[in-house]
Amino acid sequence: MISKTYSIIVAAACAALLAATATLNVAIDPQCVFRACASDGRATANERYHRLLAYKLRAVETDGLLFSNSRGKAFDTNAVALALGAKHVASFAVSAGAITDHLPFLKYILSDQAAHGGKIQKVLLLLDADFFGTRPWTNLNLDSFLPPEVSGESGLRFWLRYLFAVQFKGWRESITSTARRDLTATPNVRLASLDGPPTGLVAAGGQPAQAEEAPTPERLSRISKSHKPFLNEQLRDLDEFVQLCRRKDIQLTIALNPLTRVNSSTYEPGRLEDTIASINEITDLWDFTAPEWLAEDLAHWLDVSHFRPEIAQVMLDRMFANAGPSDFGRFRRKAESGSLER
Amino acid sequence: MLFNSYEFILFLPLALAAHFLAARWSISAAVATTTISSLIFYAWWKPPFVVLPIASIVLNYWLASRILASPIAERRPLVLAGVAANVLVLAYFKYFDFILSIFEQRSASVPDVPLALSFTTFVQIAFLVELARHPEKVAPAKYAMFVAFFPHLIAGPIVRWSELGPQLDDRGRYRINWDNVALGLTIFLLGLAKKILLADQLSPHVSLVFDAAAAGQPIGAAAAWGASIAYSLQLFFDFSAYSDMAVGLGLLFNLRLPVNFAAPLRSTSIIDLWRRWHISLSRFLRDFIYVPLGGGKKGGLRQCANLFVTMLIGGLWHGANWTFIAWGAFHGALLTLNHIWRLLRGPVRPTMIGRSVGWLLTFAAFAVGMTMFRAANIETAGSLLQAMAGFGPGASDVNFNPAPDFWFLRQGYVSEEFVRTWFGAHWSISATLLTAAALAVMLLVPDTMELTNYRENEPHSDWRRSYGLTWTPSAAWCAGAVVLFAVLFARLNQFTEFLYYQF
């Protein structure tokens, strides 16, 4: 083979691969960034991108915001608007959403509102005692990249990533989910994405009783899931979020989502309480993690992680109408964990 | 723009097409076109910062013209002024806050150093000195392309005018040379493979340990050694990958850049290692610092002092941090020891065992040095070195993380106590196995320059081994190159910067 043939074959094969990948990505569009297909219910869609598009469509009338991970999808935005006393609430409830998503979104929206003379009056921020402090999914996956306006990255880079990403699973998932979308209605939640990679850590000598315990898979898994390597960073982000709302005179309500017993028992004892206490050192909050009747009864849940819309409504009633069961939701004043109930 | 980015995949064919199309018009047009492409490549990082290399090129060219126009006796002060001006700009961006922090007795902040500044500064200093020694009229456009040529702009190799200048004057190089294109594509792909399949795989394991140490968390001996060895390999695969890609890209433009790495981690002595590691920097330090200081011509003691000072400056060039100064001083001391050892031993050819011991000592010393090089600050370096020396925390003080070794623990192949004692929370069996595999690749698999038999301005070739597996433009290699590209392209989603971009 001569060098010219070698060069042309290699270059042509590389170009063909690029072209084929780009064609597949545009045609299948797993993240729904090339056309509006997010409503197809495909699990690979970039919800962060679509939440921003939805906000932009009604930016002028938006004066309230809802930030959450997929658990917040149980909230009806009209009901949230009614509870908050807002004209329109834009939802940023996204799969595996974390404070690392919420803070840049809030910053972008505040500057966008300032640009057209609008003002955000109310914000409802839903946090999770189990995921707070774990590795966030922000900008980690193709489906979790923040839109370029929000992240500040070059728009070209954002689009090229989606054009040239080789994503066999994404293509397959999109094709199968499109094929079955008319057959079954599935809730748009992603359990797998919430579980995240196990990255456990436990202080040596800190818990001698456990050190003697046998290294069963369950125990190892519990130790892994309890690891919160990003806790301090996320607490700093939360503090910035709170301060930003304060500076902009925004009425901020923060709540911790309920957890099932099945879910909370997969963590080391005391770990979730420590996280709640750390969050509470920064801000007042509504703690919905505790009630036994909710944690034990899976009838209130879509799955072990996501509560039903009825529970979301009860949460709103507790926070904004002083109604609902009194054992559901404790209001904790900043740095006075468990001191005040109402 | 990174060589391993989607933008670059689009940029490269456009830049090549523009170069060779412009070359049909004239050589000057091709040179100007590629200079502009290179500045676009640079500006992709932070557009306003492109003013800096442009201003630097213009001022250095003006100074070069003044040197050429001056009588021989007056050239020296002009060269010195040029060198001083370049060093001052570098010092302002890179060391100003560090120097200030010493007087103000505070921690220095991380400087926002313009990309490529360290490399372009050395390229231009070398140019001014060479020009004073061998006066030669240089066209402004060719000088601009010589400095800004994007394959070497960001992280070297630190090219000399004597290497690239004559090539830019050669009309024959402005036509596509298919032999060089075939070789260039192959070298680029092999470099990209080193970066993505080896360096980037080690990176997260290294970061875990060094970040934890920087946060004040206790690190055990095995974790500290593991991370230091892994970082030594990561840096080698990362930086030599960049150099390979630069050479490959140069060949696509029908230009031959010098070999920058000669399998340095296979060296059996520190002297040998520095002949083979970042060759273009070692050469610069030798020619413009070590030799002017007197080199080895003024007695053994003076030679040792010169070596030490040269390595200290080499360390400082990498960044404004005591860790780099300590790293430079450490290597200065090692080189001095190595020279003394050679004097004591005399001209004896080492045995197989001697070479093996030499390699082990050299690699271990290099890894110790890399601990300082990678650590966030001198305190972190100190705590890691303490751990490596066996004076770190005991097993009961070290945290435990079962996640990376979950499978081994669950299968019962290792005990929790074993993982806690040997690895702690930040190192793992998986990281150890990966590091061992990378070490085996480094030792046993032929280097890109060996595989492709690329030799350009290589001062020594005694490092090359014969594997009987030399690249030729054959059907098998063609299929291999395409498959390799497919594998690498599929993994391109994981963006990581080249380590040497920061220097």
Side-chain angles (χ1 to χ4, degrees), chain A residues 1 3-4 6-7 9 13-14 17-18 21 156-157 160-161 164 166 198-204 217 219-221 223, chain B residues 6-7 9-10 44 178-179 181-182 186 396 398-403 406 410 416 420 425 471 473 478 485-486 489:
Chain A
M1 182 180 269
S3 296
K4 187 175 179 178
Y6 177 97
S7 306
I9 290 176
C14 294
L17 192 64
L18 288 176
T21 306
L156 179 65
R157 189 171 301 161
L160 286 178
R161 182 184 296 125
F164 290 135
V166 178
T199 50
L201 179 77
V202 65
R219 179 172 164 261
L220 293 170
S221 168
I223 295 171
Chain B
Y6 293 126
E7 296 98 308
I9 291 175
L10 295 184
W44 200 262
W178 290 106
D179 289 336
V181 172
T186 310
S396 58
V398 178
N399 292 328
F400 167 56
N401 177 14
F406 200 82
R410 198 167 61 177
E416 183 181 322
R420 182 194 294 280
W471 173 84
C478 184
F485 177 79
F489 179 59

Side-chain angles (χ1 to χ4, degrees), chain B residues 3 8 11-12 15-16 34 37-39 41-42 145 147-156 242 246 249 253:
Chain B
F3 288 168
F8 190 72
F11 169 85
L12 180 62
L16 275 169
T34 300
S37 302
S38 299
L39 293 172
F41 172 86
Y42 183 94
M145 181 173 160
V147 177
F149 188 42
F150 72 86
H152 74 73
L153 174 67
I154 310 292
Y242 185 93
L249 291 170
F253 284 86

Side-chain angles (χ1 to χ4, degrees), chain A residues 74-144:
Chain A
F75 286 79
D76 173 50
T77 48
N78 290 326
V80 176
L82 196 67
L84 290 174
K87 272 189 294 185
H88 173 70
V89 167
S91 172
F92 288 90
V94 292
S95 293
I99 191 70
T100 46
D101 297 293
H102 309 328
L103 180 61
F105 267 122
L106 179 69
K107 285 179 178 173
Y108 170 78
I109 290 162
L110 292 182
S111 70
D112 181 61
Q113 289 285 329
H116 65 70
K119 184 173 179 352
I120 297 296
Q121 309 276 0
K122 312 278 173 65
V123 170
L124 174 57
L125 171 63
L126 301 171
L127 298 174
D128 304 271
D130 48 352
F131 295 115
F132 196 92
T134 57
R135 177 180 287 281
W137 281 56
T138 315
N139 293 329
L140 200 67
N141 268 14
L142 278 171
D143 59 358
S144 68

